[in-house]
């Protein structure tokens, strides 16, 4: 199993002054940036959702199958890939507020075996280290064919850095987080995401498990050679990937993330680990400061599709760009498109 790691850039484009903007101007900005993406023939479909001051705009371009002319729509299901981790972070934040877990808990208190290897010179790995990618875990689980194998793989991990000191992106840690959340709530992780995030926000099209009808709406993606790629097959909890969603549901998710009165959102947006002078890790959010504004971002990349989700609380804006293609530069290209779209929305 292989996942695409988010490509992170510290530089963001931004406009210091925000003027009122009409829905027509937002639509023009979306169209401009989508068509710019489609000039690169490695891109086939582009779906963009923008939430500005509570008003949403979704638009779709290109084709889902090469040569078919079948443009995506608001019912099209994309794989969110690693953007799923932000849902994991939300549930973890709720668990902290519910006093089900503490950020400074040694993770081994939740495991059924001792795991003496999961420490560094007596320094334990904590829940916060899991959430911020600073626990020293390998990127990919050593074993991932099933949950039992995952725990066997944990025994083979060697922690080589002091927990909490070195950031190293990991697809292993969020799965362990999802397991811990299952254990403290005594419910399947999929059910926790549904109960805490999806149902309260009527995100009825966002789900891990698809029925037959859902699969007819699921995007089939391509690599840069225009070869059809397989969809992700979830074998573990879903802490790292596995959610599918639509542009309209992502608007609802952005609205949730912009809700300043939501205590779980506020907790999940906390700065937990400082990576640079203007860059932090939150509860699976990458937090960047630009012009005295905190911006929350996450990239998702899987075999045949990629996406960026970005939240701008100060400007009351959310942006999601999704595409049915995946190659090495996709994340960087989409990131630049998000930044340009943000600038176009906020043009003086």
């Amino acid at each position: 199993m292989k996942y695409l790691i988010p490509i992170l850039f510290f530089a963001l484009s931004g406009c210091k002054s925000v003027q009122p903007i009409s829905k027509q101007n937002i639509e023009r900005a979306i169209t401009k940036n989508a068509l710019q993406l489609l000039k690169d023939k490695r891109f086939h479909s582009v779906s963009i959702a923008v939430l500005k001051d509570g008003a949403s705009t979704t638009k779709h371009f290109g084709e889902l199958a090469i040569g078919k002319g079948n443009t995506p729509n608001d019912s099209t299901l994309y794989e969110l890939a690693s953007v799923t981790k932000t849902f994991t972070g939300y549930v973890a934040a709720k668990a902290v507020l519910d006093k089900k877990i503490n950020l400074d808990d040694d993770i081994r208190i939740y495991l059924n075996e001792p795991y003496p290897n999961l420490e560094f010179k007596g320094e334990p790995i904590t829940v916060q280290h899991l959430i911020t990618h600073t626990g020293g875990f390998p990127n990919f689980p050593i074993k991932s064919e099933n949950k039992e194998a995952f725990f066997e793989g944990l025994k083979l991990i060697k922690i080589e850095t002091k927990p909490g000191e070195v950031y190293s992106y990991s697809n292993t840690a969020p799965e362990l987080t999802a397991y811990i959340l299952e254990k403290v709530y005594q419910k399947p992780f999929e059910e926790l995401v549904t109960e805490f995030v999806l149902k309260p926000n009527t995100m009825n099209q966002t789900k891990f498990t698809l029925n037959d009808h859902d699969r007819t709406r699921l995007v089939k993606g391509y690599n840069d050679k225009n070869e059809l790629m397989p969809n992700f097959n979830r074998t573990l909890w879903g802490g790292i990937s596995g959610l599918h969603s639509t542009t309209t549901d992502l608007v609802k998710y952005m609205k949730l993330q912009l809700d300043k009165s939501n205590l779980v959102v506020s907790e999940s947006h906390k700065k937990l680990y400082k990576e640079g002078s203007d860059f932090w890790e939150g509860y699976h959010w990458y937090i960047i400061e630009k012009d005295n504004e905190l911006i929350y971002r996450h990239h998702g990349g899987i075999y045949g599709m990629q996406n960026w989700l970005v939240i701008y609380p100060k400007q009351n804006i959310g942006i999601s760009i999704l595409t049915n293609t995946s190659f090495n530069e996709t994340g960087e290209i989409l990131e630049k498109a998000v930044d340009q779209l943000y600038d176009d929305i906020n043009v003086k």
Side-chain angles (χ1 to χ4, degrees), residues 167-196:
Y167 169 88
S168 181
Y169 188 82
S170 172
N171 279 298
T172 304
E175 288 290 10
L176 187 52
T177 302
Y179 161 77
I180 291 171
L181 293 169
E182 276 198 357
K183 189 162 187 176
V184 298
Y185 280 108
Q186 290 296 296
K187 293 180 180 180
F189 180 68
E190 182 173 349
E191 186 175 326
L192 295 176
V193 172
T194 301
E195 180 180 341
F196 297 152

Side-chain angles (χ1 to χ4, degrees), residues 256-269:
L256 168 66
Q257 296 298 325
L258 288 167
D259 182 0
K260 294 180 175 61
S261 68
N262 188 302
L263 297 179
V264 181
V265 170
S266 297
E267 177 67 28
S268 71
H269 286 184

Side-chain angles (χ1 to χ4, degrees), residues 109-175:
I109 68 174
Y110 301 106
L111 301 179
N112 295 328
E113 296 185 57
Y115 291 95
N117 59 310
L118 297 184
E119 63 176 41
F120 179 80
K121 297 181 179 179
E123 291 283 341
I125 299 166
T126 68
V127 170
Q128 179 164 323
H129 300 147
L130 288 184
I131 293 169
T132 57
H133 301 285
T134 59
F137 280 88
N139 182 14
F140 307 121
I142 294 176
K143 295 185 177 183
S144 59
E145 54 268 35
N146 54 52
K147 295 175 181 178
E148 182 179 348
F150 175 84
F151 287 112
E152 289 302 310
L154 286 186
K155 297 176 181 178
L156 304 177
I157 292 174
K158 183 178 180 182
I159 304 300
E160 299 180 339
T161 58
K162 183 179 178 180
E165 288 196 347
V166 179
Y167 169 88
S168 181
Y169 188 82
S170 172
N171 279 298
T172 304
E175 288 290 10

